[in-house]
Amino acid sequence: MRFASRLTRCPIPYEPARAADVPARLAGLAPELRALLEGAAGCSPFLSGLMQKEGDWLEAALEGTPEAALDAELGRLAAAGGAEALASELRRAKRRVALLAGLADLGGVWPLEAVTGALTRLADRAVDLALRALVAAEIRRGKVPGATEADAGIAAGIVAIAMGKMGAGELNYSSDIDLICLFDDARYGGADVPEARAAFIRVVRKMTTLLSDMTAEGYVFRTDLRLRPDASVTPVCISMAAAEQYYEAQGRTWERAAYIKARAAAGDIAAGERFLQALTPFVWRRHLDFAAIQDAHDMRLRIRDHKRLHGPVALEGHDMKLGQGGIREIEFFTQTRQIIAGGRDPGLRLRDTVGALAALAHKGWVPEADAADLTSLYRAHREVEHRVQMVGDAQTHALPTGPEGFDRIARMCGEGDTERFRAGLRARLARVAELTEGFFAPGEVRAGPEMDEATRAVVDGWRAYPALRSQRAVAIFKRVEPEILGRLARAANPEEALRQFDGFLAGLPAGVQLFSLFDANPQLIDLIVDICATAPGLAQYLSHNSAVLDAVIGGDFFAEWPGSGTLAAELSARLDTLGDYEARLNAARVWAREWHFRIGVHHLRGLIDASVAGREYAGLAGAVLAALWPVVAAEFTRKHGPPPGRGAAVLGMGSLGAERLNAASDLDLIVIYDAAGQEASEGPRPLASRAYYARLTQALVTALTAPMADGRLYEVDMRLRPSGRQGPVATSVEAFRDYQMTEAWTWEHLALTRARPVAGDPALGAEVEAIRLGILAAKGSDPRVLPDVAEMRARIFAAKAPDGDWEAKTGPGRLQDIELLAQSCALRTAAPARRVEPQLRAGLRAGQLTAEDEAALQEAYRFLWRLQAGGRLLTQRPLDMAAIGEGGRAFLLRETGMSDIAALTSQLGFQTGRAAGIIERALGTQAVEAGDADGGA
């Protein structure tokens, strides 16, 4: 659509006489365009002057679309030639784009983002052309080592990183441009770097002069280079390596915030993008960074102190950018939230304020209504800022100081009633302050509860802990301490809860981040107190892994379980964003740790029961294996070539195969491969097929078990593979089938009843599953099964006695005993079921168990699993009712449905005794019957 047809508003001439100065040659324009020009000229001496200078161009530009006019103006600059001619042409382009953008803004033809985008495009073009022209001159003089004329196209490795509003595409009407100029030292040999640096410093200085100097033709952009690393002592252009080293060693929070908007804008953009990618860990921390709130608050106060902007808002002279309720408040509010959460969520890493607010609202970090309000207020503020600047092309953000100035700005906004304009402006400033001040201002320290001498002694000791070494940590903790103490006092056993929290606090290596998290999210204090009062083992884990609390406030921590397939896809997507193998392994640990914690919290709080928790822990392990196996295989392929033949399948055995893990379970795995006749891999360092898959399996085990910066994923047990510890760690599918059919012991066939493909090649996994079922069918009728099971049971009990009075796993009638009988039912019936409950039902259907016995075993298994799973969540040690405290005991009673410890003791004895009798009867009677049948034959 043409310019005239898109007009939605019109300024009112403040100085009608100046409106009459609109060039006569523009008199033939449409009446609505003429009104726009007269209103603009009557309010802005600067725009009036531009109309006089560029009237011929303007008349043609207004005939079409403003986008076409902008494209044409930027396009013609490529033919400008050398630096002197370029300087003149850029100033002409600046006049024209400023006039076009000003009229499109005043007439409502362009929204704010299009206005600021047009000014930013001009800045990008100006900087890029200036760099290339000046670098070309240095190359012609032989001052850039090894560079040819072709290298001038990417400025021989210089890049201008646009910061601030230029980086975000948000340049205001009279904005300066903030640049950080770097050069890619990797393009130059070590001896050539000093000479290249000297040439690039000259280029940047000349570029600044070319763009900033005021001449008879005006200026292009005032250029500010002070955001570079350590600007007081570094030259105007430094190497990328030096910049990286600075940010790694000395980078501050305000610099992190500045880099949210950073963009490679001119010169060697590809090198600039690589630099910004390398800086990602500095800008975007892996964990939620609520300490940034205090940093941002302190920065706001420093700005207000420096500019003397404290006190109540008075419109006269108020700074629309830095003053209370101003533009910077909205930007700080947005950027601080991005810093807090952007490390975990790349979807929040947007440069522009409006886009970032929308993303924050979409992800639940800002209420949608607040984001909509702030977006509207931001646009309104920026429009007022533009009109203040349009009056005389002044780099100012201050409102007028007198009534005449307010009249002028009101008319520029199309408002004939100045008081109404002022009232609206005042209301918008107040609304911004209302929405943002509460977020930044730290809460007041309130009085805590009364404490007795013993409690006071514990609390006084906290100041000696590592987490409270810094003054900043102490200051933040003082704000949350009363809330913590108050909630501890309301626990079922306050002394016990305090003791557990004391242990948690003592184990924290640092406190600023966690205490800031509590300060911004008081609901986390409830969770911590709940955990300390109930699960001391989990509290101890938290003290060393407090970053998992990030997940609690991520928005969906208490949502429904998404399923193993969804989790595997989520983890795969996260790992795909990382190029480094070690970084992927660390990222998998962070991700799995958070989900593991989530399951534990859901179980602790009664959102899920032990049975569901067991499936979810197994589902999480399956998701980790499914996502990590391709990563491990790809890294191995890089070194040794693709897997020979069809690849491999990873089988989960034991509790993983049966989809019932607890909070402390390790993983039983075996790996089956099919080389399909291929003798060796084909790659940089080829391996024989058998060695290839053995080392690939070892690589998987290392990926899971290696202690890294973020801990380990799982302990792994591979003793269930063919031939146990003596067998190869990976087995070919043919050898697996042959071994199971000709050499395997009964216990190995029992283990096979729980085998389940969890990762690797799906087709091979399906083939292994078919082999498994065939083996069960062939071996289940062997008369030795039951005698072997009975013998195995006796050996287990002889080797390991129950671990204390509350042992739920090992011993007659306990979990392992019931599982052994269930596996024998599955083997003897060739049932595909892997879990205990359906395996027992298979035994019932086959007449191996009576209905009464099967129901009793199911009941015992449910009871014992609840005790086992609950106990492993509370502690990694043998279950001790005295040690787990009142909260832990209450949790176990809730889980098992018992009224008190005496009832729990009685129930444990009853269930295990009854189950042991059923198992002994089943194995003993049937073993005798099998022997009799054998003898009769």
Side-chain angles (χ1 to χ4, degrees):
M1 293 171 62
R2 296 172 61 185
F3 197 107
S5 63
R6 292 159 62 179
L7 289 168
T8 60
R9 60 193 180 196
C10 189
I12 302 167
Y14 173 70
E15 297 178 275
R18 192 181 294 276
D21 291 340
V22 173
R25 60 179 170 271
L26 299 175
L29 293 175
E32 59 271 27
L33 283 175
R34 182 78 186 184
L36 171 65
L37 298 181
E38 290 173 354
C43 290
S44 167
F46 173 66
L47 290 178
S48 177
L50 292 183
M51 290 180 207
Q52 297 293 334
K53 291 178 181 176
E54 300 293 342
D56 289 342
W57 175 85
L58 179 61
E59 184 176 16
L62 295 179
E63 284 299 313
T65 67
E67 293 79 13
L70 176 65
D71 290 344
E73 187 58 26
L74 297 181
R76 73 171 186 82
L77 293 171
E84 187 174 343
L86 180 63
S88 176
E89 289 305 318
L90 285 175
R91 282 159 173 77
R92 176 178 290 134
K94 176 64 182 291
R95 292 195 300 270
R96 292 175 175 179
V97 174
L99 180 55
L100 179 69
L103 293 174
D105 188 354
L106 292 173
V109 173
W110 276 348
L112 171 70
E113 290 79 10
V115 174
T116 59
L119 296 168
T120 304
R121 284 184 62 194
L122 173 64
D124 287 355
R125 187 77 166 140
V127 174
D128 188 59
L129 290 173
L131 279 179
R132 287 198 274 159
L134 294 166
V135 167
E138 291 291 318
I139 291 173
R140 287 193 294 272
R141 294 173 58 217
K143 298 297 184 180
V144 182
T148 66
E149 286 188 19
D151 293 315
I154 54 169
I158 293 186
V159 62
I161 305 290
M163 306 295 287
K165 286 185 166 57
M166 181 178 175
E170 297 174 335
L171 280 183
N172 61 42
Y173 198 73
S174 296
S175 201
D176 59 1
I177 56 175
D178 294 302
L179 300 174
I180 294 177
C181 293
L182 308 171
F183 70 94
D184 183 6
D185 45 316
R187 291 173 59 95
Y188 300 94
D192 291 335
V193 168
E195 186 180 355
R197 181 192 301 116
F200 295 147
I201 290 170
R202 286 193 298 273
V203 165
V204 173
R205 286 175 175 162
K206 290 177 182 178
M207 176 198 73
T208 304
T209 299
L210 187 153
L211 297 176
S212 302
D213 276 7
M214 176 64 76
T215 71
E217 296 180 283
Y219 69 100
V220 189
F221 287 101
R222 291 173 291 267
T223 305
D224 191 336
L225 304 174
R226 291 175 296 173
L227 289 182
R228 69 185 184 273
D230 217 353
S232 61
V233 296
T234 54
V236 293
C237 184
I238 64 174
S239 72
M240 291 181 180
E244 276 192 58
Q245 290 168 5
Y246 167 83
Y247 290 121
E248 286 177 6
Q250 304 177 49
R252 292 159 288 181
T253 297
W254 73 263
E255 289 170 308
R256 291 176 58 205
Y259 267 94
I260 290 176
K261 295 181 179 292
R263 177 175 57 87
D268 192 344
I269 289 177
E273 288 175 344
R274 288 194 298 273
F275 170 77
L276 292 177
Q277 182 62 36
L279 225 57
T280 298
F282 164 67
V283 181
W284 305 108
R285 302 286 168 83
R286 288 184 309 169
H287 307 307
L288 294 178
D289 189 7
F290 279 92
I293 298 175
Q294 183 69 46
D295 291 337
H297 178 64
D298 294 343
M299 198 184 314
R300 291 165 69 245
L301 294 183
R302 285 195 297 271
I303 290 171
R304 290 185 184 179
D305 288 341
H306 179 67
K307 299 288 185 178
R308 299 179 181 177
L309 297 173
H310 289 289
V313 173
L315 289 184
E316 283 70 18
H318 186 73
D319 193 313
M320 288 297 297
K321 177 181 178 182
L322 301 177
Q324 186 176 343
I327 294 165
R328 183 57 57 84
E329 304 281 74
I330 302 173
E331 293 173 339
F332 269 20
F333 176 91
T334 305
Q335 289 171 22
T336 304
R337 277 175 159 76
Q338 288 179 277
I339 286 177
I340 288 170
R344 289 172 55 86
D345 188 349
L348 298 177
R349 301 175 190 177
L350 283 78
R351 297 185 178 98
D352 66 299
T353 302
V354 170
L357 277 170
L360 288 164
H362 178 67
K363 296 298 180 73
W365 287 98
V366 177
E368 289 193 6
D370 289 359
D373 271 3
L374 287 170
T375 298
S376 175
L377 292 162
Y378 177 76
R379 287 173 170 149
H381 276 11
R382 291 295 305 271
E383 287 189 354
V384 171
E385 175 191 48
H386 282 185
R387 280 140 188 75
V388 168
Q389 294 173 344
M390 281 180 197
V391 173
D393 189 29
Q395 189 187 10
T396 180
H397 310 279
L399 293 172
T401 56
E404 296 84 1
F406 272 99
D407 286 343
R408 181 187 296 272
I409 301 302
R411 304 302 173 269
M412 243 177 150
C413 292
E415 177 57 72
D417 185 338
T418 303
E419 281 308 309
R420 184 162 59 195
F421 170 76
R422 287 171 58 92
L425 183 53
R426 187 180 290 108
R428 291 193 295 273
L429 290 166
R431 179 61 175 155
V432 170
E434 178 188 353
L435 288 170
T436 59
E437 282 291 336
F439 172 66
F440 288 110
E444 296 180 0
V445 176
R446 64 177 182 81
E450 291 291 325
M451 290 183 278
D452 58 28
E453 268 188 51
T455 301
R456 171 58 64 190
V458 172
V459 172
D460 287 347
W462 290 350
R463 298 299 182 268
Y465 290 161
L468 287 158
R469 275 185 298 224
S470 72
Q471 290 183 348
R472 187 176 181 193
V474 170
I476 301 169
F477 188 70
K478 280 181 178 178
R479 296 201 295 269
V480 299
E481 186 179 43
E483 188 68 24
I484 291 170
L485 291 172
R487 299 190 187 199
L488 287 170
R490 296 194 294 273
N493 187 326
E495 291 180 11
E496 191 176 85
L498 177 66
R499 186 172 67 252
Q500 303 297 357
F501 181 80
D502 179 62
F504 163 76
L505 197 61
L508 282 175
V512 169
Q513 287 290 344
L514 183 63
F515 301 155
S516 298
L517 196 67
F518 289 164
D519 195 22
N521 303 273
Q523 73 273 19
L524 287 182
I525 297 175
D526 262 340
L527 180 60
I528 286 292
V529 170
D530 194 11
I531 290 171
C532 287
T534 308
L538 193 56
Q540 185 179 19
Y541 167 83
L542 265 182
S543 69
H544 298 291
N545 298 277
S546 59
V548 298
L549 290 170
D550 290 354
V552 180
I553 54 176
D556 57 359
F557 184 81
F558 291 104
E560 293 290 323
W561 177 253
S564 184
T566 300
L567 289 181
E570 178 186 310
L571 178 56
S572 293
R574 181 173 298 192
L575 299 184
D576 285 345
T577 65
L578 303 169
D580 178 69
Y581 182 63
E582 186 171 328
R584 289 181 173 187
L585 298 188
N586 260 321
R589 282 156 170 74
V590 172
W591 180 89
R593 192 170 60 198
E594 290 179 356
W595 277 99
H596 194 275
F597 177 67
R598 176 189 186 278
I599 297 167
V601 170
H602 281 218
H603 188 192
L604 193 68
R605 290 205 153 179
L607 300 177
I608 57 176
D609 64 17
S611 178
V612 174
R615 288 196 297 274
E616 291 187 1
Y617 283 127
L620 174 62
V624 169
L625 289 164
L628 203 58
W629 172 258
V631 172
V632 174
E635 177 68 9
F636 203 77
T637 294
R638 185 178 65 81
K639 299 174 183 176
H640 303 291
R646 297 168 60 197
V650 181
L651 268 61
M653 307 294 286
S655 297
L656 174 61
E659 298 181 88
R660 180 153 285 176
L661 299 181
N662 63 53
S665 292
D666 58 9
L667 304 184
D668 293 304
L669 301 175
I670 65 173
V671 174
I672 310 294
Y673 68 88
D674 183 6
Q678 189 173 331
E679 293 185 359
S681 65
E682 298 176 0
R685 287 176 282 169
L687 293 170
S689 294
R690 183 173 179 177
Y692 184 101
Y693 284 106
R695 289 178 58 179
L696 175 59
T697 301
Q698 289 165 344
L700 173 65
V701 173
T702 300
L704 293 167
T705 63
M708 301 180 70
D710 289 293
R712 56 168 51 88
L713 277 164
Y714 293 97
E715 295 289 355
V716 172
D717 189 339
M718 301 201 72
R719 288 175 297 175
L720 292 179
R721 67 186 185 269
S723 300
R725 287 193 178 96
Q726 285 71 45
V729 293
T731 308
S732 73
V733 66
E734 298 90 349
F736 174 74
R737 181 192 293 109
D738 292 345
Y739 176 84
Q740 290 289 345
M741 293 299 294
T742 62
E743 299 181 46
W745 295 75
T746 298
W747 72 263
E748 292 174 290
H749 294 146
L750 292 172
L752 208 58
T753 66
R754 307 174 92 181
R756 178 170 61 92
V758 291
D761 183 75
L764 183 56
E767 182 177 327
V768 172
E769 171 62 5
I771 292 171
R772 179 184 86 95
L773 296 177
I775 292 166
L776 297 184
K779 296 298 182 178
S781 59
D782 191 321
R784 292 174 301 176
V785 171
L786 285 175
D788 285 353
V789 172
E791 182 183 352
M792 190 187 319
R793 179 175 184 262
R795 286 181 179 176
I796 291 171
F797 297 159
K800 189 176 188 308
D803 209 346
D805 294 339
W806 298 100
E807 173 68 67
K809 180 179 178 181
T810 305
R814 287 166 168 80
L815 289 171
Q816 194 176 41
D817 203 12
I818 299 172
E819 289 169 351
L820 199 59
L821 180 66
Q823 290 166 39
S824 75
C825 292
L827 175 58
R828 293 168 63 220
T829 61
R834 299 178 176 91
R835 298 176 60 241
V836 167
E837 295 90 341
Q839 287 180 341
L840 289 174
R841 288 195 291 271
L844 172 64
R845 287 193 299 271
Q848 296 167 4
L849 294 170
T850 67
E852 183 180 357
D853 286 351
E854 188 265 347
L857 290 173
Q858 297 279 14
E859 182 182 305
Y861 192 78
R862 285 192 297 272
F863 169 80
L864 291 166
W865 175 251
R866 288 170 182 167
L867 184 60
Q868 171 75 359
R872 298 305 278 167
L873 178 62
L874 297 180
T875 177
Q876 304 301 305
R877 298 172 180 164
L879 187 57
D880 180 342
M881 289 297 175
I884 63 173
E886 186 173 330
R889 291 191 293 272
F891 168 69
L892 289 180
L893 292 175
R894 186 198 76 200
E895 280 293 288
T896 56
M898 297 293 105
S899 58
D900 54 34
I901 294 298
L904 181 59
T905 304
S906 173
Q907 183 71 355
L908 178 59
F910 168 72
Q911 292 290 358
T912 55
R914 183 174 64 168
I918 294 170
I919 294 167
E920 287 164 6
R921 190 163 60 248
L923 292 179
T925 301
Q926 293 169 5
V928 170
E929 288 175 356
D932 289 346
D934 230 13

